[in-house]
Amino acid sequence: MQTVEPDVVTDVLIVGSGPAGGAAALALSSYGVPNIVVTRYASLADTPRAHITNQRTMEVLRDLGVEDEVVAKATPQQLMGNTTFCTSLAGEELGRVRSWGNDPLVQAAHELASPTRMCDMPQHLMEPVLMDAAVSRGTNLRFSTVYKSFVQDDSGVTVTVEDRLRGDEYTIRAKYLIGADGGRSQVAEDAGLPMGGQMGVAGSINIVFDADLSKYTAHRPSTLYWVLAPGATVGGIGAGLVRCVRPWNEWLIVWGYDVNAGAPDLTTAYAESVVRRLVGDDDIPVTIKSSSAWTVNEMYAETYSAGRVFCAGDATHRHPPSNGLGSNTSIQDSYNLAWKLKLVLDGTASPKLLDTYTAERAPIGRQIVTRANKSIGETAPVFEALDGLSPQTPEQLWANIAARKEDTEAAEKQRARLREAIAFKAYEFNAHGVDLNQRYTSTGIVPDGTDDPGFDRDPELHHQPSSRPGARLPHAWITSGTRTLSTLDTVGQGRFTLITGIGGTDWVRAADAQDLEIATVVIGPGQEYEDPYGDWARLSEVADGGALLVRPDGYVAFRHATAAASGADAEHTLTEAVRRILGHA
């Protein structure tokens, strides 16, 4: 039988140009891996969609060289954090919670945890940053190109796509395929990835509009304003939500609908009526830009790959926007996968290394789906404090809201319940541990024989740094000459890094003796890097002569707490660790 040659050949084909696809392309091109991105759309995102960008994602973007551009275009952290509960923007305020690291104690924790700051970077601004940088480094991007199907064999994947402009089909031959095609991923379905949970548990509508709302928002700057009003409790969000896209003129409203009855007719008049209802001012000029319906999902993939096909982002974890985890987890998925593909493609690692992608990322995907949906339920106590969950007339709800201002024992208890309910939303708006406490367990991590110490405080709310294998390298400010930099700045760049101190010469020699490229970092007085504050000595959890081997994604893969017994012992120990990590053991 005659073999049909593919029309196009590449190392990695990526379906989808969203945060997961863009991050995969950027990382792969940064590592010198040829790749093609195809998207069915004629442009990148034209609506804000995902927006919260947490510290871990900013660390990824820092390593990939686009952090400064994101910071320049994003809404800064200090303008994100007075999450307000109200009856409308122009109406009564019920309370606020300092959010997204803007509580003074939480802000201190943020500054101790990372060299980066979180920000609000809407998806229609983030996608061009990722894709422009990827294309400039070698990615081939094809718009209006629809993924149709794939067939894989032992050496690659042949993908059929349709050019929507010409109306014809052609084939792309890739060594690996990444499905980053969103919550209705055809690649994930064709790959037969097993899913847990369910789709379509509730309905919501996005309404994007322009309006100058500065007189209602500039004095209490925030990304989110939650409106508790009659009718706003329908759907999965639990309240009407007014979200700032750009201070204080571009906005997005999230409004629920009964998913069983179907989405309403999204006319301009309907959209404007919802905007007026939540803003509470009929005189402010409003321009409706777009409206769209979507469903709240609670679904996660149990396996992220099938043979040479891998999925990332919303293709593998589908959930509401609560906690702002969607694009963050998507970008981090791709960052985890890209360096592994690079090392397998250049022959450095065994294909078994790719099995660690599911082992490491699937538990994270399941965790964030659960956390996001749990956050929806945690809005209920706010309503309960106002007796707003039971069926009643709008007049009764307004009376319940007004009752909190009375000088009575019942009103005092109601005020206390409302304060407590709003404060509890910290699990959605200040979940620092969810962002940074991810721990990996896989063959890409070499245990050091220590017991897992667990967490001293609530691991969802509080970050706890650790150098234990499987944890992200702790951040500490160190110096090199006149430069001050983070320990995180010494790792990454697509390579492994060995960190040691005075007395770790044997480890440095062992790293230099490996076939794998390993950068070496020695921290101590008189060394290339110094620890003037003593922070690294406190956080490293190893002696000066001990060593940490850090993966390209900034995760500790190997730890030896003390100096090696000899040069031969260091080389043997490190060689065996590297073999295991790369799948050769």
Side-chain angles (χ1 to χ4, degrees), residues 77-227:
Q77 185 175 15
Q78 68 267 23
L79 296 183
M80 294 170 61
N82 281 283
T83 299
T84 301
F85 292 81
C86 56
T87 59
S88 69
L89 291 190
E92 287 192 56
E93 182 175 312
L94 304 173
R96 304 179 199 174
V97 57
R98 296 182 181 94
S99 307
W100 314 121
N102 281 286
D103 179 283
L105 292 176
V106 179
Q107 181 59 60
H110 275 234
E111 293 190 4
L112 290 169
S114 175
T116 68
R117 288 200 170 194
M118 70 184 311
C119 60
D120 189 296
M121 182 67 169
Q123 188 168 336
H124 68 303
L125 301 180
M126 178 68 84
E127 284 188 17
V129 170
L130 298 176
M131 287 308 312
D132 287 353
V135 169
S136 72
R137 299 177 197 181
T139 294
N140 285 300
L141 172 60
R142 294 291 178 266
F143 289 111
S144 301
T145 303
V146 181
Y147 161 83
K148 303 295 286 188
S149 63
F150 74 80
V151 177
Q152 65 174 313
D153 52 49
D154 291 342
S155 60
V157 188
T158 301
V159 180
T160 300
V161 298
E162 177 189 353
D163 187 309
R164 297 180 71 178
L165 296 180
R166 297 194 311 240
D168 62 341
E169 294 184 353
Y170 63 95
T171 57
I172 301 174
R173 178 70 174 176
K175 294 174 183 174
Y176 292 97
L177 168 65
I178 299 177
D181 48 337
R184 297 180 179 87
S185 172
Q186 188 63 47
V187 176
E189 183 174 335
D190 291 349
L193 299 190
M195 297 281 180
Q198 60 180 321
M199 295 281 281
V201 298
S204 290
I205 297 165
N206 282 0
I207 300 170
V208 182
F209 67 100
D210 288 343
D212 181 1
L213 302 181
S214 54
K215 70 177 180 179
Y216 299 123
T217 57
H219 65 287
R220 49 183 180 183
S222 181
T223 287
L224 305 175
Y225 300 83
W226 292 79
V227 178

Side-chain angles (χ1 to χ4, degrees), residues 193-331:
L193 299 190
M195 297 281 180
Q198 60 180 321
M199 295 281 281
V201 298
S204 290
I205 297 165
N206 282 0
I207 300 170
V208 182
F209 67 100
D210 288 343
D212 181 1
L213 302 181
S214 54
K215 70 177 180 179
Y216 299 123
T217 57
H219 65 287
R220 49 183 180 183
S222 181
T223 287
L224 305 175
Y225 300 83
W226 292 79
V227 178
L228 282 67
T233 59
V234 177
I237 296 299
L241 175 63
V242 183
R243 175 191 137 196
C244 178
V245 176
R246 303 295 287 174
W248 305 110
N249 299 291
E250 296 181 40
W251 301 88
L252 183 152
I253 274 178
V254 183
W255 181 257
Y257 69 89
D258 185 347
V259 71
N260 295 316
D265 186 9
L266 300 181
T267 63
T268 299
Y270 173 83
E272 185 169 334
S273 72
V274 174
V275 171
R276 296 292 183 195
R277 189 172 190 173
L278 271 61
V279 172
D281 185 338
D282 292 341
D283 295 327
I284 287 182
V286 170
T287 301
I288 304 297
K289 299 172 73 174
S290 67
S291 300
S292 59
W294 51 280
T295 59
V296 176
N297 304 313
E298 188 171 0
M299 182 170 281
Y300 47 85
E302 296 168 352
T303 301
Y304 279 22
S305 66
R308 290 175 170 267
V309 179
F310 296 82
C311 287
D314 289 355
T316 54
H317 35 80
R318 306 163 189 179
H319 53 88
S322 310
N323 287 79
L325 297 168
S327 63
N328 291 290
T329 310
S330 300
I331 289 170

Side-chain angles (χ1 to χ4, degrees), residues 16-32:
S17 58
L26 176 55
L28 289 169
S29 287
S30 299
Y31 304 154

Side-chain angles (χ1 to χ4, degrees), residues 238-556:
L241 175 63
V242 183
R243 175 191 137 196
C244 178
V245 176
R246 303 295 287 174
W248 305 110
N249 299 291
E250 296 181 40
W251 301 88
L252 183 152
I253 274 178
V254 183
W255 181 257
Y257 69 89
D258 185 347
V259 71
N260 295 316
D265 186 9
L266 300 181
T267 63
T268 299
Y270 173 83
E272 185 169 334
S273 72
V274 174
V275 171
R276 296 292 183 195
R277 189 172 190 173
L278 271 61
V279 172
D281 185 338
D282 292 341
D283 295 327
I284 287 182
V286 170
T287 301
I288 304 297
K289 299 172 73 174
S290 67
S291 300
S292 59
W294 51 280
T295 59
V296 176
N297 304 313
E298 188 171 0
M299 182 170 281
Y300 47 85
E302 296 168 352
T303 301
Y304 279 22
S305 66
R308 290 175 170 267
V309 179
F310 296 82
C311 287
D314 289 355
T316 54
H317 35 80
R318 306 163 189 179
H319 53 88
S322 310
N323 287 79
L325 297 168
S327 63
N328 291 290
T329 310
S330 300
I331 289 170
Q332 293 163 35
D333 284 346
S334 295
Y335 188 59
N336 179 285
L337 177 60
W339 68 268
K340 298 172 181 177
L341 285 171
K342 185 260 186 186
L343 292 182
V344 171
L345 284 164
D346 68 15
T348 300
S350 162
K352 289 191 291 186
L353 174 62
L354 298 174
D355 295 339
T356 66
Y357 175 57
T358 284
E360 294 175 357
R361 296 306 297 173
I364 304 302
R366 182 169 186 170
Q367 176 197 9
I368 62 104
V369 169
T370 301
R371 177 65 258 171
N373 280 278
K374 190 176 181 181
S375 290
I376 289 178
E378 290 168 353
T379 305
V382 179
F383 290 95
E384 291 171 355
L386 300 169
D387 296 323
L389 288 180
S390 57
Q392 55 193 290
T393 63
E395 290 75 19
Q396 183 60 54
L397 180 59
W398 294 128
N400 294 345
I401 290 172
R404 80 191 194 288
K405 294 180 286 187
E406 296 173 0
D407 183 16
T408 65
E409 183 178 349
E412 186 172 357
K413 291 180 178 178
Q414 182 188 34
R415 291 191 292 271
R417 290 198 307 272
L418 183 59
R419 287 194 299 270
E420 291 170 2
I422 291 175
F424 194 70
K425 293 300 288 179
Y427 279 91
E428 179 174 358
F429 305 130
N430 275 317
H432 199 209
V434 174
D435 295 344
L436 293 181
N437 281 342
Q438 298 174 8
R439 303 282 195 267
Y440 292 157
T441 302
S442 75
T443 57
I445 302 293
V446 180
D448 66 351
T450 61
D451 293 330
D452 185 346
F455 295 92
D456 298 334
R457 297 187 292 173
D458 189 320
E460 290 196 312
L461 290 182
H462 303 287
H463 166 55
Q464 183 169 313
S466 174
S467 72
R468 193 165 180 270
R472 160 188 159 275
L473 181 71
H475 153 70
W477 291 114
I478 57 177
T479 59
S480 180
T482 58
R483 292 190 303 143
T484 297
L485 68 162
S486 169
T487 47
L488 297 177
D489 294 328
T490 68
V491 303
Q493 304 297 308
R495 69 188 192 281
F496 281 74
T497 304
L498 184 130
I499 302 177
T500 187
I502 295 173
T505 303
D506 287 338
W507 293 115
V508 173
R509 291 173 179 160
D512 291 341
Q514 302 299 313
D515 292 333
L516 174 71
E517 179 191 2
I518 301 178
T520 54
V521 173
V522 181
I523 302 175
Q527 307 304 308
E528 181 182 0
Y529 300 94
E530 299 197 37
D531 182 24
Y533 303 107
D535 291 339
W536 178 244
R538 175 176 53 84
L539 291 169
S540 68
E541 300 176 322
V542 298
D544 287 347
L548 302 175
L549 182 65
V550 185
R551 307 187 323 183
D553 58 359
Y555 272 74
V556 177

